[in-house]
Amino acid sequence: MAQDNSLANVVISSKRLPNGFEYIEIKNDSATAKIALQGAHVYEYKTNHEKSILWLSETSDFEHTKSIRGGIPVCWPWFGLPKDKNLPQHGFARIAMWRFISTDEVDANTTEVIFSLSSTPQTLNLWPHKFELELHVTVCDKLIMELKTTNVDDKSFKITQALHTYFDVSHISHVNIKGLDKKPYLDAVSMEDKEQSGDITFNGEVDRVYQEAEGEILLEDKNRTIHIQNEGSFSVVVWNPWIDKCRRMSAMKDDAYKGMVCIESANAFSDARVIKPNESHTLKTTIY
Ligand code: TA6
């Protein structure tokens, strides 16, 4: 597919990297985005007037079966490490091949694309539930992601999940995160339950799962503020690996921790969701 439109500056094209890795490129009057079919992974999003909102590792893999380091990995149907160590961290959706379903050129500034993933014999081996998953991505002066899980099985199932957004920042020491004051969180570094006091700043490894999160989160950087609005979610993960963990991370340069922070729109830990047969749950985030 290479589809030019009646809307003069709107382009939606299907492309491949030299190794065959497929992605969809979107350009409209407001923004540009690139979305890999593997993982329905938005790995670039940029409005036409400012630098990229999303961080992408310079050394990221664009290879089948490896998650892209950066952008917005879709962690589903579980967040984190499952008890069975043979199963992949953060679920299989981020490394599965999704189907590109449709596009809607809403107007010259707004393009919506839809991807889907359904259960197969392979997914049933990893997770014994029949599901349909849809990701709606709206590219405009905001980036809107809606991840809809539908239970097409005959018994209920439980999911945890996250839109594991990597934000590009000028320097991690300039970052101030607002909106989680007084919220309880699991500190996954010390494995202690704690409560947030004031804004979140960084001077060491941070890996926290906040609960009872409601309302807008602001990522304040030196010269810009990014707004994050979540729906269908009461948990938010905040992560920066800092020096030592960054050295151990795959597909990250040793000093990459300085230029990124993850603020993840989640249903994690006590915010896990049970979905009954024929019912759906949608996790939505709007970023601008
Ligand atoms: O969301 C935070 C986290 O779970 C960290 O503990 C961290 O290791 C990270 O995600 C990245 O995980 P990945 O599987 O992509 O290497």
Side-chain angles (χ1 to χ4, degrees):
M1 184 203 65
Q3 183 186 340
D4 281 11
N5 292 267
S6 50
L7 298 164
N9 297 321
V10 178
V11 179
I12 304 165
S13 25
S14 174
K15 296 193 168 177
R16 277 173 200 269
L17 298 176
N19 67 357
F21 198 89
E22 292 172 89
Y23 65 97
I24 306 293
E25 184 168 50
I26 297 167
K27 294 184 183 179
N28 61 35
D29 284 353
S30 293
T32 58
K34 290 181 182 168
I35 309 168
L37 285 193
Q38 176 175 288
H41 193 135
V42 178
Y43 64 92
E44 279 184 28
Y45 166 76
K46 190 184 157 309
T47 60
N48 293 342
H49 305 294
E50 59 171 350
K51 79 195 250 310
S52 181
I53 283 187
L54 300 181
W55 179 83
L56 176 65
S57 173
E58 288 171 44
T59 54
S60 180
D61 295 304
F62 285 87
E63 277 175 46
H64 293 298
T65 76
K66 287 190 183 172
S67 180
I68 296 168
R69 176 71 66 205
I72 312 185
V74 173
C75 303
W76 189 96
W78 57 82
F79 173 80
L81 260 183
K83 285 196 188 94
D84 179 347
K85 299 290 173 260
N86 295 315
L87 294 173
Q89 157 134 305
H90 292 329
F92 53 81
R94 66 177 178 163
I95 46 173
M97 285 304 289
W98 290 55
R99 282 186 305 279
F100 178 43
I101 298 294
S102 65
T103 70
D104 185 0
E105 296 98 39
V106 179
D107 57 39
N109 295 294
T110 310
T111 310
E112 185 184 274
V113 286
I114 303 178
F115 299 85
S116 80
L117 183 72
S118 311
S119 36
T120 62
Q122 289 76 29
T123 68
L124 289 166
N125 268 337
L126 297 168
W127 193 64
H129 306 286
K130 292 188 189 145
F131 65 88
E132 279 172 10
L133 196 56
E134 262 186 19
L135 183 70
H136 294 228
V137 182
T138 305
V139 176
C140 54
D141 56 352
K142 300 175 177 171
L143 176 63
I144 305 170
M145 309 266 294
E146 290 163 89
L147 180 63
K148 180 180 177 193
T149 303
T150 303
N151 183 341
V152 292
D153 216 325
D154 52 15
K155 51 188 183 320
S156 296
F157 60 62
K158 191 186 219 179
I159 57 164
T160 53
Q161 60 181 343
L163 297 166
H164 192 304
T165 310
Y166 287 78
F167 290 97
D168 189 278
V169 296
S170 62
H171 194 287
I172 190 66
S173 61
H174 298 146
V175 169
N176 210 39
I177 298 174
K178 286 194 155 55
L180 293 164
D181 186 27
K182 301 205 169 51
K183 300 299 179 192
Y185 67 88
L186 170 71
D187 184 331
V189 179
S190 64
M191 292 313 283
E192 289 169 315
D193 289 318
K194 297 185 178 167
E195 188 181 280
Q196 182 62 34
S197 170
D199 296 350
I200 304 168
T201 53
F202 296 81
N203 54 18
E205 183 182 349
V206 167
D207 193 348
R208 302 177 184 169
V209 186
Y210 287 87
Q211 299 289 334
E212 301 171 21
E214 273 178 291
E216 187 170 65
I217 295 170
L218 297 180
L219 164 51
E220 292 183 341
D221 194 0
K222 200 173 172 192
N223 292 317
R224 76 169 166 192
T225 297
I226 295 172
H227 300 243
I228 302 155
Q229 295 163 347
N230 298 328
E231 292 170 47
S233 158
F234 294 117
S235 47
V236 172
V237 182
V238 177
W239 177 59
N240 181 283
W242 210 250
I243 300 166
D244 292 340
K245 187 165 181 184
C246 192
R247 291 202 179 113
R248 301 195 301 272
M249 295 296 298
S250 63
M252 266 180 110
K253 286 173 79 178
D254 285 357
D255 64 351
Y257 74 94
K258 293 178 186 169
M260 53 72 63
V261 66
C262 286
I263 303 177
E264 307 166 33
S265 314
N267 294 121
F269 294 88
S270 58
D271 191 28
R273 299 299 167 113
V274 174
I275 305 175
K276 293 183 184 151
N278 301 315
E279 292 192 355
S280 301
H281 169 69
T282 300
L283 169 64
K284 177 173 177 183
T285 189
T286 302
I287 296 166
Y288 61 96

